[in-house]
Amino acid sequence: IIVIDWYQPGRENDTRFHYQPRSSHALALNFSLSLSFSLLFFVRSFLVVSAGITSLGGVVDSANLDVTFGVALVPDRKIALVTSYNLHKLSAYSYEDANNLELLSSVADSTLMLNANGVSYDNTRDMAVVNADYGNSLTTIDLSDTSSMTILGSVSSSTYLDGTFTSCLDEANAIAYTHGTDSDSFAAVSYSDRANPVVLGGISGDSTYMNGAWGVACNLDNSIVYVTGGYSNSIAAINVADPSSPSRVGGIIDGTNLDGARGIVYEASGDLLFVACNDGDALTVLSVADDAASPVVLGSVSSTSYMDAARLVASFPAAGLVFVTGGASDSVCVVDVSDPSNPTVKEGLVDSTYMNGAVGIAWDPATKLLFAAGENSDSLAVMSVAGTVAKHLAPTPSPTSWTDGK
């Protein structure tokens, strides 16, 4: 859909000049203009994309998914990686047939992956990185043969990884950026030697910005990593230009808009942060466009129906959509963030069979499939996304003069 706004040159002080058109008309394929003065045209476009959500079922598997937590995808092979907290295990499920998930294999270790939580996938090295809560550890797992996954190595630190939940990866440099919930900490872990991951550096005991550190998001172009503080209602901005000596260079504390901040995602295309707020039952959108170290709240939306005890987040940037798990509502919420200052709940899906205690979430844009872990139902849910929503794309000035129909 193309919308044309027009302005008469020389009227720069007219409020219409500031992208507030006096009138707009749909552009027809065949048209002519017969005008006695020049006009300046601005083109605004809207992308029509998907928004609806439908359950495809899933898998309940207490033998492999007892207290399910994290989920990450290997999209080129259509594999979902899922952790079990109680079994200290990582399992791989094929979703070649999304209506019939197939277990490929599992790998467990009650020492190296004690109470496994989050999982991340490194496509470059075809490996997984698993966070272990009570193991205070990160473990690397070879995925070259998902019918027989093998543990490569592990690193533990009570100083920097005490109660670690999630990570974000810098694949180019083989670094996992993670945290310690119980140590109010941040860590940079190198896995360039996959069999011997090591802590390069970290920050510990920052109860101001990382009290109950929970979620991590990478803004690598600006050498910044964001860490949510679940108990401090905050986001810490960590400079990782030198991963061996990270430093907090900014952040935000907001008890209203970041109440119980948990999962966080950074969207590079808009320089935006999306944060799930557990105590606020909400999704909050923040901008880091002006200063990567100083997040600014743009808007927030809450829903006890679909985001009760909001936990983790996945984004679909091309559609202006964000997906949020609701732990207490056994649900996934679809939020339209095409206008970041006014996020709105489009719809949601409640499913106590496959999403009881919904937590981990992952999105495959190629197949339009969404996955969510059901912590209390020992399960993995699969959903398809379809429907429509309009995403506003930035106005594009086109300084073309049109005179007498030319």
Side-chain angles (χ1 to χ4, degrees):
I1 299 172
I2 303 295
V3 178
I4 302 295
D5 299 341
W6 59 73
Y7 310 91
Q8 183 176 355
R11 298 292 299 277
E12 288 80 2
N13 294 324
D14 194 313
T15 57
R16 290 174 294 162
F17 187 77
H18 302 288
Y19 299 106
Q20 298 178 24
R22 181 177 181 180
S23 59
S24 300
H25 294 274
L27 179 65
L29 292 177
N30 299 300
F31 65 93
S32 63
L33 294 175
S34 180
L35 304 170
S36 59
F37 51 85
S38 298
L39 296 175
L40 179 63
F41 283 81
F42 288 85
V43 179
R44 296 185 298 162
S45 57
F46 295 82
L47 178 66
V48 177
V49 290
S50 298
I53 186 169
T54 304
S55 173
L56 298 181
V59 60
V60 176
D61 185 356
S62 298
N64 291 289
L65 299 179
D66 188 10
V67 183
T68 320
F69 189 93
V71 56
L73 303 179
V74 184
D76 58 332
R77 286 185 282 163
K78 294 184 173 59
I79 294 171
L81 304 171
V82 194
T83 60
S84 165
Y85 187 89
N86 279 356
L87 299 176
H88 329 296
K89 179 183 285 190
L90 178 71
S91 296
Y93 291 85
S94 170
Y95 60 92
E96 286 285 353
D97 178 357
N99 295 286
N100 184 27
L101 299 183
E102 177 188 357
L103 177 66
L104 300 177
S105 71
S106 295
V107 60
D109 191 304
S110 59
T111 299
L112 302 181
M113 294 196 294
L114 181 60
N115 300 124
N117 271 329
V119 56
S120 305
Y121 172 61
D122 184 320
N123 179 66
T124 304
R125 295 162 186 82
D126 201 9
M127 55 170 277
V129 177
V130 175
N131 299 69
D133 183 2
Y134 277 88
N136 304 328
S137 62
L138 255 63
T139 297
T140 53
I141 297 175
D142 181 30
L143 300 177
S144 57
D145 180 3
T146 49
S147 67
S148 181
M149 297 184 292
T150 56
I151 291 176
L152 297 167
S154 189
V155 61
S156 178
S157 171
S158 58
T159 301
Y160 299 117
L161 302 175
D162 191 1
T164 183
F165 276 83
T166 59
S167 299
C168 64
L169 304 185
D170 175 359
E171 291 191 27
N173 296 295
I175 296 175
Y177 293 109
T178 186
H179 65 88
T181 300
D182 299 326
S183 48
D184 304 334
S185 58
F186 168 81
V189 177
S190 172
Y191 55 89
S192 56
D193 179 352
R194 301 192 308 165
N196 295 287
V198 295
V199 175
L200 296 176
I203 301 169
S204 185
D206 184 349
S207 59
T208 302
Y209 283 90
M210 292 191 289
N211 190 348
W214 220 90
V216 185
C218 289
N219 178 353
L220 298 177
D221 286 344
N222 289 291
S223 298
I224 296 289
V225 175
Y226 304 101
V227 182
T228 57
Y231 305 141
S232 47
N233 307 321
S234 57
I235 301 171
I238 311 295
N239 186 300
V240 294
D242 178 1
S244 67
S245 183
S247 61
R248 189 185 63 77
V249 292
I252 179 175
I253 300 172
D254 187 334
T256 300
N257 294 297
L258 296 174
D259 191 10
R262 294 292 194 272
I264 182 171
V265 167
Y266 169 68
E267 183 191 307
S269 61
D271 269 333
L272 299 172
L273 297 174
F274 303 116
V275 181
C277 301
N278 186 267
D279 298 334
D281 309 319
L283 175 78
T284 294
V285 184
L286 304 95
S287 173
V288 290
D290 293 336
D291 183 350
S294 300
V296 176
V297 173
L298 297 179
S300 187
V301 62
S302 64
S303 170
T304 54
S305 297
Y306 301 125
M307 289 191 285
D308 194 359
R311 301 178 83 178
L312 288 172
V313 187
S315 68
F316 182 12
L321 297 176
V322 169
F323 309 107
V324 185
T325 50
S329 46
D330 305 335
S331 58
V332 164
C333 187
V334 181
V335 182
D336 176 7
V337 294
S338 55
D339 178 359
S341 65
N342 185 33
T344 57
V345 173
K346 296 298 293 185
E347 62 180 301
L349 179 66
V350 177
D351 184 345
S352 59
T353 300
Y354 295 108
M355 292 194 292
N356 193 332
V359 54
I361 189 165
W363 165 247
D364 184 342
T367 60
K368 302 296 187 294
L369 293 175
L370 186 66
F371 298 81
E375 183 176 21
N376 301 328
S377 47
D378 305 337
S379 57
L380 179 67
V382 189
M383 293 150 279
S384 65
V385 175
T388 58
V389 67
K391 181 184 180 184
H392 175 240
L393 304 179
T396 305
S398 179
T400 303
S401 294
W402 292 71
T403 307
D404 298 327
K406 298 180 181 179

